[in-house]
Amino acid sequence: MLTLRHLAIDTVRENVAFLNRHCTRYHVEDFLGLGRVEVRNDGRSLLAVLNIVDDPAIVGPDEIGLSDPAFAQLGLAEGSAVHLVPPTPPESFELVRAKVGGAALTDAQLAAIIRDITDQRYSKIEIAAFLIACASFMTTAEVLGLTRAMIAAGTRLHWEGLGTIADKHCIGGIPGNRTSMIVVPIVAAHGLPIPKTSSRAITSPAGTADTMEVLANVDVPMERMQTLVREAKGCLVWGGHVRLSPADDILISVERPLAIDTREQLVASILSKKVAAGSTHLLIDIPVGPSAKIRTGGEAVRLRKLFEHVGDSLGLTLEVAITDGSQPVGRGIGPVLEARDVMAVLRNDPASPADLKERALLLAGRILEFDPAVRGGSGNRRARDLLESGAALAAMERIIALQGPPPAVATLGFLVAEVASPADGVVSSLDCYRLARIARLAGAPTDKGAGIDLLRKVGEPVRRGEPLYRIHASTNADFTFAQAFAADDNGVRVA
């Protein structure tokens, strides 16, 4: 037996075990070729990637160290006695091999794979094999089966007595598109429940949770979240506590480095979380533009039809809005700057970004028409009334108060550089991907005050030497990286 040791190492959704090279109980060589080890005791077991340690100060010869996620999953106290066995490959991986060979998988087979992935029985290489096989081809039936399997593998929320549960989701790719933070208070002010769980940014300069955290606490347990929705009709919280479709979080952690983002996996990812969240009525926003995730109208229609088919099969009332994704929405890119834009719209500030306001009203109006009491075609007018009367602002202030203050006060980055226009003319295009990269290099979203403040949008005139946007950062290293990247290509075209 070895003594269990908790190592404060965040290995991000991957279970990692650390074994001393001179272990007194086992021959390390027995496990090296396998790359993994199974840790067992008291009926509990954990499959983990194996790392070998030479420093006894980290892990002693009679100890086994576990990283943060591995220690939490095993659920034993530090100092517990555990033993090691060679890992037993998950039986479901034979199904992955079949998929790689061109087989179409049944619902039961997909469920077996997703259960093992959720239980952390797959290595990242094995998950990558599954994702690449699915990216090669998936039938519509498989997309539905995968979605159902992902729903079944996690928590499912229930909202007894609340009737229609509304939600919205944007497929992403457009900086500054923080419409959820306007839509939720408008819909809540109308009285339609809208529990909005959001992720933190992975590859973008801000997610809804990152931006909302400038204004309020988003780290809300599930029980508290349910109370919030009953009291305020809405919330804007981080979904990490709720464990909705946990397999999706694991798959995404492997998809991102591989740049795998097929429409089949996108649909399964989004709809599994929405159904698990208890949503009954859902609006999907698909922005289309030359630097967006979806580049053409034809692609958008194909994606819409897949959403509709799977949503209908799951019993969701689902609508899709295909919107303009040709440039960033609003003026700010980064949490503090995006929160500024959101609150300006909610406060009916005349200087608030008109594109952010109108897009939010369009989406909110579509959601309000899920309410049988709202006549068809009148949703937008109702949304506008709720915004302009101040009812939406009051709803947002109530949500903020109930969620509590943010963990820290976030301020705009004090290091500022203006990126000037190289010529006289009119802004002809803004590269969403490039501007998002610059904002991330400046430090967003980890540094909530970092990002880009857009001073010119498409169609606006500019003279040579006038600023196109400002870069904000809080550290010299981030500031230098962002400036250098912008100098190479600032992401703005002037014609």
Side-chain angles (χ1 to χ4, degrees), residues 263 266-267 286 294 299-307:
R263 63 191 183 104
L266 178 71
V267 168
I286 303 178
I294 303 300
E299 287 181 72
V301 169
R302 288 192 293 273
L303 181 58
R304 186 201 76 201
K305 290 182 177 181
L306 185 57
F307 267 119

Side-chain angles (χ1 to χ4, degrees), residues 10 43-44 59 73 85 90 147 155 192 234 239 241 250 261 288 294 298 302 346 385 398 400 416:
D10 184 359
R44 300 172 186 264
V59 175
Q73 186 179 338
V85 297
T147 308
T155 302
L192 199 60
H241 270 306
I250 298 169
D261 195 15
V288 179
I294 303 300
R302 288 192 293 273
L346 288 171
D385 289 344
R398 181 168 172 76
I400 289 171
V416 182

